[in-house]
Each structure stands twice: as structure tokens, then as C-alpha cells.
Amino acid sequence: MAEVTVSGNKKISTLQKEFNNKFPFLTIKFFAPKEWEKSKSGGTISPLSSNQTLAKVRTKKPEKNSEISIHGRTKIGNLEENFMTEYGLYAQVCYKAKNASTDYYTSGSADDKSLTQFNKFLSENGGYEKGPC
């Protein structure tokens, strides 16, 4: 699979499965922007239901002929920004450490890495698990 394609009628769960198959140490989760803002003030939030389609949960309709294509060279920060710009959804790439009870969300310098680079980093440095967060 060269890339993961994104369309409005794709279920979040399908997109997550395709993403995790391509980048086994990474997961992508989606949040409503208003809910994500609550988390910044210490509130606990949950990701959007994975049984829904992107068209159902998006807060804006993408421009005509606009699409998001996810490939290994895509920088994490750019991917997250593209979902906000095109779909009005807060996307967050996450990963999990072995024996940890929490997921870790990328930020800072990790957001400047490509998906392939960061997946490889997690793979080679041990202490991280494959599979969804």
C-alpha cells in the first residue's frame, strides 16, 4: 500500500486500521475541536466514535478536488494540520509505550518528523508497542 487515502464516506475505524497497517507503531485519533479545547484546561475528553464516517463528524466540507493523502513522507504536524484545514477535525497521532497505562500524543520535534521516520524511531528504540493506542 503506497498511501492511505481519505474520503468523507470512509469510517474512522477503517482509516485508523489502514493507517496502523502502514505505520504499525502509530495510531491516528480524531477529536471535535471544541472538545479538544477543553483538554487544554485539564478536562478529560474522548476521541470521536470510530464507527462514524468522516463526513458525519467533520465540521467543514473540504474544498472541491481537495483530498488528504497520507504517505510515509508526510510530516506528522502537516497531517494533523491538514485534517483541521480540510475537515475541521482535530487529528492527533499517538503511540504507546510498553507497560504504560496511557497513550502518548506527538508534539514538538516529533511533529517535524515524517510518519516513516517516527515509526522507525519507535521501532528501533524499544519500549514501544505495535498496535492502536
Side-chain angles (χ1 to χ4, degrees):
M1 175 174 22
E3 65 184 345
V4 177
T5 58
V6 178
S7 67
N9 44 341
K10 187 176 276 193
K11 279 189 172 185
I12 292 173
S13 60
T14 302
L15 177 58
Q16 288 172 321
K17 183 178 179 180
E18 291 172 357
F19 184 88
N20 191 243
N21 284 341
K22 184 154 180 67
F23 310 104
F25 286 88
L26 303 174
T27 301
I28 189 166
K29 292 185 179 182
F30 298 94
F31 302 85
K34 288 180 182 178
E35 288 296 307
W36 187 257
E37 289 301 315
K38 289 180 189 177
S39 74
K40 291 181 180 178
S41 59
T44 302
I45 63 168
S46 296
L48 293 167
S49 170
S50 62
N51 292 326
Q52 298 182 75
T53 63
L54 289 168
K56 177 89 173 160
V57 298
R58 68 183 177 210
T59 62
K60 67 189 269 190
K61 190 172 181 176
E63 297 288 326
K64 192 173 188 174
N65 299 325
S66 176
E67 62 179 46
I68 298 174
S69 177
I70 305 169
H71 51 79
R73 296 179 316 275
T74 305
K75 288 189 177 183
I76 293 170
N78 291 347
L79 174 64
E80 294 170 350
E81 184 179 319
N82 288 343
F83 274 102
M84 180 56 79
T85 302
E86 297 299 324
Y87 285 87
L89 292 173
Y90 194 91
Q92 187 64 52
V93 174
C94 66
Y95 57 99
K96 61 183 176 179
K98 290 181 181 174
N99 305 318
S101 61
T102 186
D103 301 336
Y104 295 96
Y105 294 100
T106 61
S107 65
S109 64
D111 283 350
D112 290 333
K113 294 188 185 317
S114 73
L115 292 164
T116 296
Q117 286 173 325
F118 197 63
N119 189 73
K120 183 177 179 183
F121 168 81
L122 296 173
S123 168
E124 292 176 348
N125 288 292
Y128 301 99
E129 292 184 16
K130 286 183 179 181
C133 299

